């Protein structure tokens, strides 16, 4: 498993924990051990640009996910997709939720991973399943 992490946000982010969490999530979801994921932290301006370009929605968002079209696994590392997080947005949400920015970033990274794997929260039933799963993954990872 491979996690490629890039930080263009200007904020300090829990890099070591992000590698651990995403590797845990990949294992938890029983994905092939030779898969990879890209995680990028960006500032609010870049996140807003991405949000407009890819979602046609104004303003910054907290996390965006970009799943890759997965080819047949032929012994090569397969990239599952890209997760992009805005730590400044996460910090505001964390304050509103009453927990740390790091805790919010863990939730967002797991949320992004689940989106890459096809989970969604467009309707209440999907949301219930996805949010329960992301909470379970973060909780089990934090207790290991």
């Amino acid at each position: 498993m491979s996690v490629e992490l890039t930080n263009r946000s200007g904020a300090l982010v829990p890099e070591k924990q992000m590698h651990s969490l995403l590797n845990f999530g990949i294992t938890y979801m029983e994905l092939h051990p030779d898969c990879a994921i890209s995680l990028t932290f960006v500032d609010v301006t870049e996140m807003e640009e991405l949000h407009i370009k890819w979602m046609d929605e104004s303003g910054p968002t907290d996390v965006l996910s970009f799943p890759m079209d997965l080819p047949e696994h032929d012994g090569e590392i397969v990239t599952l997709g890209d997760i992009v997080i805005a730590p400044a947005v996460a910090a505001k949400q964390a304050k509103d939720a009453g927990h740390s920015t790091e805790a919010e970033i863990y939730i967002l990274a797991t949320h992004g991973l689940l989106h890459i794997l096809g989970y969604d929260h467009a309707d209440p039933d999907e949301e219930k399943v996805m949010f329960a799963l992301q909470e379970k993954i973060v909780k089990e990872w934090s207790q290991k």
Side-chain angles (χ1 to χ4, degrees):
M1 287 173 268
S2 171
V3 177
E4 180 183 325
L5 191 147
T6 305
N7 184 4
R8 296 192 302 260
S9 70
L12 293 175
V13 295
E15 292 186 24
K16 182 178 176 185
Q17 292 87 342
M18 297 315 304
H19 285 278
S20 173
L21 171 61
L22 288 173
N23 279 313
F24 180 86
I26 288 167
T27 301
Y28 187 91
M29 297 304 293
E30 299 180 351
L31 301 173
H32 195 283
D34 289 337
C35 66
I37 198 155
S38 170
L39 173 63
T40 303
F41 292 95
V42 298
D43 63 24
V44 173
T45 302
E46 185 174 353
M47 182 58 95
E48 182 171 13
E49 291 168 358
L50 291 169
H51 200 211
I52 292 167
K53 179 178 181 177
W54 296 104
M55 303 300 292
D56 199 25
E57 295 183 22
S58 63
T61 190
D62 50 6
V63 61
L64 289 171
S65 299
F66 302 96
M68 299 289 184
D69 292 328
L70 299 178
E72 290 297 315
H73 180 73
D74 61 358
E76 300 287 323
I77 293 178
V78 175
T79 300
L80 298 175
D82 302 313
I83 301 169
V84 181
I85 296 174
V89 177
K92 182 184 181 317
Q93 289 178 179
K95 184 177 178 185
D96 294 344
H99 54 240
S100 71
T101 300
E102 289 80 11
E104 187 71 15
I105 288 172
Y106 302 151
I107 292 166
L108 294 175
T110 305
H111 186 88
L113 174 63
L114 292 176
H115 270 308
I116 284 172
L117 298 177
Y119 287 83
D120 203 357
H121 47 88
D123 71 50
D125 289 337
E126 289 178 336
E127 181 177 313
K128 186 176 181 181
V129 169
M130 183 176 181
F131 283 43
L133 183 55
Q134 76 189 26
E135 182 179 322
K136 185 174 184 182
I137 291 170
V138 172
K139 183 177 182 181
E140 288 189 24
W141 167 75
S142 68
Q143 293 176 344
K144 67 171 192 67

